[in-house]
Amino acid sequence: MIVGDLSFEEFERALNGPGVGLRIGPFSVRIRDGHQELFAPTFHTLYSEFPLLPESEPAEFRIQLRDPVGLRRWWRRQMFFRLDDSDPFYPFPAGLAYPFFEWGLNWCIYEHVHEFFVIHSAVVEKRGRALLMSAPPGSGKSTLCAALVNRGWRLLSDEFAIIDKTNGHLIPIPRPVGLKEQSIEIIRKFAPESWIGPAFADTSKGTVAHMRPPAGAVARMNEPALPAWLVFPTYEANAVTALSPVSKASAFITASENSFNYKVLGESGFECHARLIDQCDCFDLKFSDLNAALDLIEELPAARGSAP
Amino acid sequence: MSGHSAVRNNPLMQVLRAPADALQFNARQWEDLLWHARITRLSGRVWYLFEQSGMTDRVPEPIRRRLYSAFLEAEYHRRQLLWEIDRIHRAFYGSGRSFVVMKGGAYVALGLRAAIGRPVADVDIMVAPDAIAEAEQMLLKHGWEAVIEDAYDQRYYRRWMHEFPPLRHRVRETEMDLHRGILPLTSRLRTDAESLYRMSVVLDERGTRVFSPPDMLLHCAVHLFHDGEIRGALRDLVDLDSLFREFGERTGFWASLIPRAVELGLQRPLFYALRYTMRLLETPVPQEALHAAEIGRPAAGILAFMDWTVPAALVPPLSSDEALASSLAGFCLYMRSHWLRMPLGPLSKHLARKSLRRLWSSEPGVRDAAG
Amino acid sequence: MADNELLWRVSPSTRLVWRRWGDEFIVFNAASGQTHYLNALAARVLQYFQEQAATADELVDDIRSSIPQGGDLSILDQVRELLTRFDSLGLIAPQNP
């Protein structure tokens, strides 16, 4: 069963009652929500292809979007994001429940997940070879990711490279792609056929909206990919769009700084990261022109010869 | 409040006593186990217990991953702690001074079972009482700096506390407490810090020291029942249980424990440690030791108060009824701990300042999700 | 003891794991959990202290002997700086007297 098999009414009833359990990439998540106008419809649409958890399976992240006690329930209504029964964040305006759910789930992953090696990176794949675009927020990696996905690359994640430490495989977690500010319009124009959810204004990251992951990407969620390219994108207005090789050692350092748990994993993290760097050709990508950047990326597979 | 049924039915308490009981859990109980293990920071410990029972492959995958991740994080803390000890040796190099690693750091340095799967946030060390100022200077010279800049707080620590103002390393950002004893100077119990240091044992060729087994155990008991907040400190009780079990296997441990407690004036915290590890975690204790420990038994009224509050405050609540009982118990114990630490004069002044400060500062540990 | 008489070496409790890509090195210190990027000179200095304990002067002499006649001697200053840096990172430590 997938989320979309539930009618919206059934879905909302479960969300407000016992919660909705679903599998998101390798993780199992149970969500409960206290009657949010914007949350349930947005979530139901963006996650429609994701499988529901069987009754007997426990969730590792039990998330609740909860009303605060007191005045803020009615006046300038606020919400809490809870993991189990603790509140890791400041409350937020109730209308922003959906983006806060996404950020909260990100936090669950980068704070609690060490069974995988996790790097802050978008990951897309074509012909069995995966491209990692690793950068801090604001570098344009999600824009590139959304655009590539609309050009036929398979979405693994716009946020996390989740690496199996035993074999170096990239594990997909094809959640909705988070778009910010101008990139929302850019992607709407670039791919009018894609479904982009409501724009949430006035978050601490400005206006955000989320692109629904293609059904195929979610259906292939259990299919890992092999890393082939590691690109460090930087968006810079008016820059000449160019891809330039970076040395393996400096790619090692940059990507380890973009990792959430490189230090926690110690020597096994070092070995896993060194293998990733060995497997990848590494580049800096400076871009101002999205189409030019995509063309450069599309040429990468040719440069490596045909994939197996 | 039915303290006992709450303790019995709590999935975390069940697992701490008998890990294999978890194999009967349904999805909901597994989720509750994970929740409680997370808030008490015992997830890594639970992983270790499952591993010891050879049942990790029968734990549902999502739960297994989270427990194992917590275990890996504890392993990271262990490595970091050993490195901090190395760096302290570097700072002390050539001075002829040594230091005692305390609490979780000692369990790690000694490789005790209590250290496995246990996260350690800070390093706690103690130096000989006459060396504290010199030790602080050496640390400041090697990259540690004061966390607290406020002059009032600095003075408060130096005047009343058993530790100097906390230090943080500029580059590694690790925190350290530099102790001169195990209880505040204002405390109702007086322990002989000199004697604690003298009886400490050297554990490696660099001269790293740890307390002797009885002292280590007594320190843990003091920390839980006399110094810190009992509420939410289930982890400390698990430490006590593990220390009792591991040291208890050594010959002469039980025979030396009670006389040492009496010598240091710590028979009361020891009595509590034995009582509540046995009640909540079924720690095995020889009959003679129990009998001898009676010397620390408090008056009936006090004991009734502790029997009501301690389990309720230690075991995380599953329902809102339990939550209410737990906050009430926690509050009573909080007031008690301040009463034990300080005579009334400095106490009311300190609490008044503390609550004033709380009005101004925002809650720590909370952040902006989009950050 | 004066600092220039100290004998330095990679501490025996430290285990270093190396990766080399061309002229660049990444070294992982298993004891500290820290990762360091080293250029060829820094790698050479660290390897030197992995093989033996030596004073700062002995290290400088060793490096000097490998600089060709008329070569750039300013790297000797860099060598002394590296020593301080490696000490503060815990990559090397004075040998116990």
Side-chain angles (χ1 to χ4, degrees), chain B residues 214-343:
Chain B
D215 289 3
M216 203 179 294
L217 207 139
L218 291 167
H219 182 209
C220 186
V222 166
H223 181 67
L224 175 56
F225 292 108
H226 209 88
D227 180 37
E229 260 185 78
I230 295 181
R231 190 173 179 204
L234 185 58
R235 221 160 65 103
D236 292 325
L237 196 78
V238 169
D239 284 347
L240 281 171
D241 169 68
S242 187
L243 294 176
F244 276 133
R245 285 173 197 264
E246 187 160 0
F247 291 151
E249 292 163 6
R250 303 184 184 178
T251 41
F253 169 74
W254 290 108
S256 63
L257 178 62
I258 287 104
R260 180 61 172 163
V262 173
E263 190 182 332
L264 291 170
L266 300 176
Q267 58 275 31
R268 179 67 51 83
L270 176 63
F271 176 86
Y272 291 143
L274 288 165
R275 186 175 185 86
Y276 300 113
T277 50
M278 287 176 71
R279 284 198 167 187
L280 299 176
L281 300 171
E282 293 168 6
T283 314
V285 179
Q287 210 51 48
E288 318 84 78
L290 269 184
H291 186 74
E294 284 292 309
I295 194 168
R297 177 187 279 270
I302 295 176
L303 191 55
F305 167 81
M306 293 295 276
D307 282 351
W308 171 68
T309 51
V310 171
L314 280 178
V315 177
L318 267 176
S319 66
S320 50
D321 281 357
E322 283 177 30
L324 189 66
S326 160
S327 352
L328 194 58
F331 178 73
C332 294
L333 286 166
Y334 176 74
M335 292 311 291
R336 168 186 171 271
S337 77
H338 274 282
W339 160 250
L340 289 171
R341 281 151 70 108
M342 282 179 245

Side-chain angles (χ1 to χ4, degrees), chain A residues 6-291:
Chain A
L6 300 176
S7 71
F8 179 68
E9 288 68 32
E10 289 171 313
F11 174 78
E12 201 178 25
R13 213 174 309 126
L15 202 59
N16 295 336
V20 173
L22 64 163
R23 174 168 303 289
I24 301 178
F27 307 118
S28 58
V29 180
R30 193 179 309 283
I31 308 157
R32 291 173 64 195
D33 153 61
H35 307 277
Q36 256 321 295
E37 310 78 37
L38 274 181
F39 181 78
T42 309
F43 188 89
H44 187 251
T45 312
L46 287 170
Y47 280 87
S48 65
E49 304 295 326
F50 284 76
L52 294 164
L53 285 188
E55 195 83 359
S56 61
E57 189 174 329
E60 59 208 284
F61 297 120
R62 212 159 47 167
I63 291 167
Q64 209 183 334
L65 297 162
R66 193 187 60 105
D67 286 314
V69 188
L71 206 57
R72 281 306 180 97
R73 237 184 140 128
W74 296 282
W75 179 71
R76 289 196 185 167
R77 190 163 165 219
Q78 288 191 330
M79 297 280 286
F80 277 101
F81 174 95
R82 315 193 94 185
L83 174 64
D84 292 326
D85 75 338
S86 49
D87 308 317
F89 312 117
Y90 291 118
F92 47 86
L96 301 181
Y98 185 77
F100 270 85
F101 162 76
E102 289 292 343
W103 288 323
L105 185 56
N106 287 349
W107 174 85
C108 289
I109 294 169
Y110 68 65
E111 194 70 18
H112 289 282
V113 170
H114 304 304
E115 72 275 24
F116 298 112
F117 177 42
V118 186
I119 304 177
H120 196 188
S121 173
V123 186
V124 292
E125 173 262 348
K126 208 176 203 178
R127 286 186 228 106
R129 293 171 170 279
L131 159 70
L132 287 83
M133 293 179 288
S134 177
S139 54
K141 73 173 156 46
S142 289
T143 318
L144 286 167
C145 176
L148 285 166
V149 166
N150 285 301
R151 273 206 184 180
W153 290 67
R154 169 162 74 115
L155 172 70
L156 272 78
S157 172
D158 81 319
E159 188 74 16
F160 296 110
I162 293 183
I163 299 172
D164 184 330
K165 287 182 278 183
T166 60
N167 55 21
H169 291 178
L170 288 155
I171 312 290
I173 174 164
R175 290 158 62 197
V177 178
L179 299 168
K180 278 174 289 213
E181 303 284 354
Q182 303 92 316
S183 48
I184 303 170
E185 248 345 274
I186 293 172
I187 296 301
R188 272 192 218 282
K189 282 203 191 106
F190 184 87
E193 68 284 4
S194 66
W195 195 89
I196 296 176
F200 299 92
D202 297 326
T203 77
S204 58
K205 295 185 170 192
T207 303
V208 295
H210 303 79
M211 186 187 86
R212 186 165 178 249
V218 183
R220 291 173 66 194
M221 201 163 75
N222 295 323
E223 210 180 291
L226 283 173
W229 305 279
L230 174 56
V231 170
F232 303 106
T234 327
Y235 174 81
E236 205 181 293
N238 306 321
V240 178
T241 299
L243 202 56
S244 44
V246 292
S247 80
K248 296 243 179 191
S250 68
F252 187 109
I253 296 294
T254 312
S256 70
E257 283 164 358
N258 289 344
S259 164
F260 294 107
N261 61 359
Y262 173 75
K263 280 195 174 153
V264 173
L265 298 182
E267 192 168 352
S268 77
F270 172 83
E271 292 295 347
C272 192
H273 193 35
R275 176 174 51 198
L276 174 74
I277 297 297
D278 277 332
Q279 287 169 320
C280 288
D281 287 340
C282 308
F283 302 91
D284 274 334
L285 170 64
K286 197 181 271 184
F287 75 104
S288 56
D289 178 344
L290 180 62
N291 280 302

Side-chain angles (χ1 to χ4, degrees), chain C:
Chain C
M1 189 188 321
D3 268 7
N4 54 11
E5 288 167 25
L6 286 179
L7 272 175
W8 298 93
R9 45 103 180 81
V10 170
S11 140
S13 57
T14 297
R15 197 163 47 82
L16 301 179
V17 190
W18 294 79
R19 277 291 186 289
R20 178 183 184 163
W21 286 287
D23 266 354
E24 296 175 308
F25 297 78
I26 299 285
V27 66
F28 176 76
N29 180 348
S32 70
Q34 290 162 351
T35 308
H36 309 283
Y37 170 96
L38 305 180
N39 62 21
L41 177 66
R44 158 104 204 260
V45 169
L46 191 56
Q47 275 158 354
Y48 179 83
F49 285 120
Q50 233 178 343
E51 283 152 21
Q52 67 240 286
T55 64
D57 288 342
E58 285 166 339
L59 167 71
V60 169
D61 286 345
D62 181 79
I63 303 278
R64 195 201 307 274
S65 68
S66 66
I67 300 174
Q69 205 71 51
D72 182 8
L73 289 178
S74 71
I75 68 162
L76 297 179
D77 294 334
Q78 291 175 44
V79 168
R80 285 187 191 277
E81 266 168 45
L82 275 171
L83 196 92
T84 317
R85 182 109 185 90
F86 284 171
D87 177 30
S88 74
L89 292 171
L91 282 167
I92 60 171
Q95 184 159 314
N96 279 328

Side-chain angles (χ1 to χ4, degrees), chain B residues 76-115:
Chain B
Y76 166 59
H77 287 192
R78 187 180 59 76
R79 295 190 302 268
Q80 270 205 315
L81 199 120
L82 291 172
W83 182 243
E84 286 305 305
I85 293 175
D86 182 274
R87 297 290 80 201
I88 301 166
H89 278 298
R90 176 67 188 97
F92 282 22
Y93 181 82
S95 70
R97 292 291 191 180
S98 184
F99 58 93
V100 178
V101 186
M102 306 162 87
K103 303 185 191 172
Y107 314 156
V108 165
L110 273 170
L112 294 181
R113 296 202 292 265

Side-chain angles (χ1 to χ4, degrees), chain B residues 107-269:
Chain B
Y107 314 156
V108 165
L110 273 170
L112 294 181
R113 296 202 292 265
I116 308 177
R118 180 193 192 278
V120 208
D122 313 329
V123 194
D124 289 273
I125 63 167
M126 185 175 123
V127 293
D130 68 330
I132 186 136
E134 186 187 345
E136 189 186 33
Q137 284 312 309
M138 292 190 287
L139 292 167
L140 291 173
K141 218 179 283 172
H142 281 83
W144 278 270
E145 41 192 29
V147 174
I148 295 173
E149 282 165 18
D150 182 276
Y152 169 84
D153 286 345
Q154 278 268 352
R155 268 203 312 281
Y156 178 82
Y157 268 98
R158 284 169 205 279
R159 173 131 189 233
W160 299 111
M161 294 302 286
H162 50 306
E163 59 212 33
F164 261 33
L167 298 168
R168 184 190 294 125
H169 195 273
R170 199 165 42 229
V171 179
R172 296 191 301 281
E173 294 181 345
T174 45
E175 292 209 6
M176 180 206 285
D177 286 330
L178 178 59
H179 296 246
R180 55 182 148 183
I182 59 171
L183 279 168
L185 307 185
T186 54
S187 172
R188 261 147 234 287
L189 291 181
R190 293 292 155 94
T191 53
D192 181 357
E194 199 83 60
S195 163
L196 286 167
Y197 190 85
R198 206 172 45 243
M199 297 299 285
S200 67
V201 289
V202 173
L203 69 87
D204 59 22
E205 75 286 352
R206 295 177 303 184
T208 314
R209 306 178 83 92
V210 290
F211 286 152
S212 67
D215 289 3
M216 203 179 294
L217 207 139
L218 291 167
H219 182 209
C220 186
V222 166
H223 181 67
L224 175 56
F225 292 108
H226 209 88
D227 180 37
E229 260 185 78
I230 295 181
R231 190 173 179 204
L234 185 58
R235 221 160 65 103
D236 292 325
L237 196 78
V238 169
D239 284 347
L240 281 171
D241 169 68
S242 187
L243 294 176
F244 276 133
R245 285 173 197 264
E246 187 160 0
F247 291 151
E249 292 163 6
R250 303 184 184 178
T251 41
F253 169 74
W254 290 108
S256 63
L257 178 62
I258 287 104
R260 180 61 172 163
V262 173
E263 190 182 332
L264 291 170
L266 300 176
Q267 58 275 31
R268 179 67 51 83

